[in-house]
Amino acid sequence: MREIHHFIDGQSKKAQTGRFQNVYDPSTGKVQALVELASADFLAEAVAGAKAAQPAWAATNPQKRARVMFAFKALLERDMEDLARLLSSEHGKTVADAKGDIQRGLEVIEFACGIPHLLKGEFTEGAGPGIDMYSMRQPLGVVAGITPFNFPAMIPMWMFGVAIACGNAFICKPSEKDPSVPIRLGELLKEAGLPDGIYQVVNGDKVVVDAILEHPDVKAVSFVGSSAVAEYIYAKGATYGKRVQAMGGAKNHAIILPDADLDQVTNDLIGAGYGSAGERCMAISVAVPVTDKVADALIARLKPRVEALKVGPSLDPEVDYGPLISREHRQNVINWIDKSVQEGAELVVDGRTVSFQGYEDGFYLGGSLIDRVTPTMESYKTEIFGPVLQIARAEDFDSAIALPNAHQYGNGTAIYTRNGRAAREFASRVEVGMVGINVPIPVPLAYHSFGGWKRSAFGDANQHGTEGVRFFTKVKTVTARWPEGAGAAEFVIPTMK
Ligand code: NAD
């Protein structure tokens, strides 16, 4: 069986722990490789290599660091097809969707190409007699990223694109479910001219995560994954004195006002609800039609479209979406559909049983559509993370906006309307971090910042954009006086009189 190891100091390395985890091909349900799970000692070796390499990288002028990013971007474009196929084979998303995953990461690399400009500090000439004051942004040293299975290219690049351009060394701990792409990215970074040790990939489970959190030389931890783990990472990282940003789960509502274009809404809900089998933190998982009339008209349009969704192997260019990530997760999603029926919701389209000749063991699920979901149901409160769209009917604008506002998660949301005033009020009042107005998946572009509210994000800095630069650097402010003669000792705090 093929083994997947780690990428340390510019090359593949074994940790020799004897601990492995299966990596599946979700389309066939078969094990395609074994990923080695590293130990705390191995993590410490990776950190030591990163720590040794980082000062020279930080001392490399930002323009030269940017040139490595430019070269890396060109390599991503060169290898896009191969990377997408590799990603698709471990994750199960279609190749077209895998290209989107890589492209969204590549856009953060493009953003990081502007690092000389982004790192410029502030300067005040003449802050006092003969005194100038200036600030600079310096890298933190060795930083780490812990990433989820659902965007194995984009999310590592959200983090290391900015972190490395800022002059840090980066330890990547990918999801053990689809670990190959982050290693391949390391090979491309090396080809682009990145010095060895600046990007290290350590595969593993909780053992490595805890070792990262406890290691004194890891100065910051960026995490994306489920909320329970995000909260754990945030609390434990803070205990060990680290800077932590930890993005968590989601339940994203789309509010549909009576004046919305229902054909557009239907198209958007199909794409945003079922694309990538619903395994996106910005998937629309709850549609909130305002008035029963709108709900009935919307369901009449959605039902045939959900029934017609084409599910199949991820490498088949004809399918709308592929399998889920694992057999366990597939069963979990089925359990939530069962639960919503037990709780009194109405299953309009049942996607629980689907099977294809030759792929009987694949982790497939058809699309499900569930109506009359209410806020007290457990299946509403929880992130299902599958090809399931729930409908929670609302009477008016106020009861509609109350749903995302009261929900534990606050990652993304959308409103569909032709009324600018209603949209503006929604954007202002909604307790959610990323808002779409007639846009279903409002993922901010690389030069803005990505982050949710409430239990969708712990910590105070978003991913990428200028917030990312702030997260991966620390500010130093210098006050400089070049006096003409010696001054007197001053015993009171200096102020500007
Ligand atoms: P996950 O929390 O299971 O795993 C994420 C990472 O944490 C992995 O690297 C994993 O190895 C590690 N991990 C898992 N359990 C751990 C534990 N007990 N202790 C320490 N480390 C642990 O998440 P996942 O299933 O890979 O990803 C799906 C989740 O990620 C969903 O909840 C989704 O909403 C969320 N997500 C959020 C965003 C966002 O930006 N808010 C983006 C993508 C995915």
Side-chain angles (χ1 to χ4, degrees), residues 64-82:
K64 286 190 179 158
R65 296 204 301 260
R67 282 181 194 145
V68 173
M69 291 294 154
F70 274 111
F72 178 55
K73 172 188 177 289
L75 295 176
L76 288 172
E77 282 164 345
R78 183 195 71 187
D79 288 0
M80 177 69 84
E81 187 69 33
D82 288 350

Side-chain angles (χ1 to χ4, degrees), residues 8 27 56 91 305 335 462:
I8 305 293
S27 295
H91 176 284
R305 295 286 299 276
N335 293 347
N462 283 354

Side-chain angles (χ1 to χ4, degrees), residues 137-140 142-144 168 213 218-223 233-234 237-246 458-461 467-475:
R137 291 206 160 268
Q138 295 189 328
L140 304 176
V142 180
V143 298
N168 298 288
L213 294 170
V218 176
K219 300 300 176 193
V221 176
S222 181
F223 172 86
I233 303 270
Y234 179 63
T239 306
Y240 282 85
K242 296 186 197 321
R243 195 176 276 199
V244 185
Q245 56 177 187
F458 301 81
D460 67 352
E467 291 244 340
V469 174
R470 181 167 76 79
F471 182 75
F472 286 117
T473 54
K474 53 195 172 191
V475 176

Side-chain angles (χ1 to χ4, degrees), residues 146-151 155 158 173-177 204-206 209 223-227 229 232-233 247-250 281 383 385 411 450 456:
I146 300 161
T147 58
F149 80 82
N150 70 328
F151 282 97
I155 292 178
W158 276 3
K173 205 306 279 174
S175 168
E176 53 279 51
K177 292 174 186 137
D205 53 11
K206 188 173 187 315
V209 171
F223 172 86
V224 177
S226 56
S227 289
V229 183
Y232 170 77
I233 303 270
M247 276 57 197
C281 69
E383 177 183 46
F385 220 55
N411 214 38
F450 183 107
S456 293

Side-chain angles (χ1 to χ4, degrees), residues 354-388:
V354 63
S355 178
F356 313 100
Q357 215 178 0
Y359 294 92
E360 289 80 1
D361 294 329
F363 311 141
Y364 301 100
L365 267 187
S368 291
L369 182 64
I370 308 177
D371 190 15
R372 300 190 187 279
V373 170
T374 63
T376 55
M377 295 179 182
E378 289 306 314
S379 56
Y380 169 80
K381 295 178 193 165
T382 312
E383 177 183 46
I384 297 178
F385 220 55
V388 181

